Amino acid sequence: MSMLDEADRSKYFPFVSLRGDALSGAILSAELQANSAAGRNLELTQYVEFIQTFSPLVTLRYYPVVESKIMRVEAVYEYAVSSSRPFNRSFLAEDEVLKYSEVTEDTVFTDIDCSQYQVDRNGLLRISSTLVGSWLRITYWAGFDFTSEAIEVQQLKSAVAAILNYEAAK
């Protein structure tokens, strides 16, 4: 799915004369620049994060979290962290989890009942106190649905169109 397409021309980039593959390429370039500036994919994307918890509040890396999509939280209750990073609260990629803890590929994560956590749109995950001190594997959806008419989506489309207009005018 694309942030902009030909149907958005009249509203967002009426003065761009490109057509066909040239327009598609220019739109793709503008979208890649917007994603790069944001440091992530702005479109709806599924993410998996491994986080060691030290508090009942966990901040997910990507937002806005799509609360209507299925979210999965799994936990490992027993772990041993390397002494080189005993109080690490950073967001870890899967390979870092395996490198710095006793959590391995064979570790069995247990599904957590949704009554033990809540997440808001901004990526703040509140977990039950029984989960504090465990490793969590959190699978969720974040980003923007560019088919919606939400104000923030229109603003993002306008920003991407501004990049497109600038690039096409060169």
Side-chain angles (χ1 to χ4, degrees), residues 40-51:
R40 65 188 178 97
N41 187 351
L42 294 169
E43 294 182 72
L44 278 178
T45 306
Q46 185 178 41
Y47 296 99
V48 178
E49 288 188 45
F50 290 84
I51 299 175

Side-chain angles (χ1 to χ4, degrees), residues 61 85 88 90-101 135:
R61 181 179 287 176
R85 291 173 52 161
N88 179 21
S90 63
F91 299 96
L92 302 174
E94 183 172 4
D95 59 336
E96 291 179 273
V97 170
L98 302 178
K99 183 175 179 182
Y100 291 110
S101 76
W135 279 102

Side-chain angles (χ1 to χ4, degrees), residues 76 78-80 97-99 101-105 107 109 135:
V76 172
E78 294 180 15
Y79 61 89
V97 170
L98 302 178
K99 183 175 179 182
S101 76
E102 294 300 319
V103 175
T104 68
E105 292 174 351
T107 301
F109 280 80
W135 279 102

Side-chain angles (χ1 to χ4, degrees), residues 33-159:
Q33 289 178 57
N35 286 334
S36 178
R40 65 188 178 97
N41 187 351
L42 294 169
E43 294 182 72
L44 278 178
T45 306
Q46 185 178 41
Y47 296 99
V48 178
E49 288 188 45
F50 290 84
I51 299 175
Q52 183 182 11
T53 61
F54 292 104
S55 133
L57 296 175
V58 176
T59 304
L60 300 176
R61 181 179 287 176
Y62 302 103
Y63 59 89
V65 172
V66 180
E67 298 168 75
S68 61
K69 291 238 183 205
I70 294 173
M71 179 176 193
R72 184 175 184 185
V73 177
E74 302 163 284
V76 172
Y77 291 99
E78 294 180 15
Y79 61 89
V81 179
S82 164
S83 60
S84 65
R85 291 173 52 161
F87 299 106
N88 179 21
R89 176 51 193 97
S90 63
F91 299 96
L92 302 174
E94 183 172 4
D95 59 336
E96 291 179 273
V97 170
L98 302 178
K99 183 175 179 182
Y100 291 110
S101 76
E102 294 300 319
V103 175
T104 68
E105 292 174 351
D106 297 327
T107 301
V108 176
F109 280 80
T110 304
D111 279 319
I112 303 303
D113 184 84
C114 63
S115 65
Q116 298 215 26
Y117 63 87
Q118 296 179 273
V119 67
D120 69 18
R121 188 176 189 322
N122 298 316
L124 185 62
L125 178 69
R126 292 169 182 84
I127 60 172
S128 164
S129 60
T130 60
L131 295 174
V132 174
S134 62
W135 279 102
L136 299 180
R137 179 170 52 196
I138 305 164
T139 306
Y140 64 101
W141 288 84
F144 299 92
D145 177 4
F146 284 93
T147 61
S148 82
E149 293 298 320
I151 296 293
E152 59 195 359
V153 169
Q154 291 177 27
Q155 291 170 335
L156 283 168
K157 282 186 168 189
S158 293

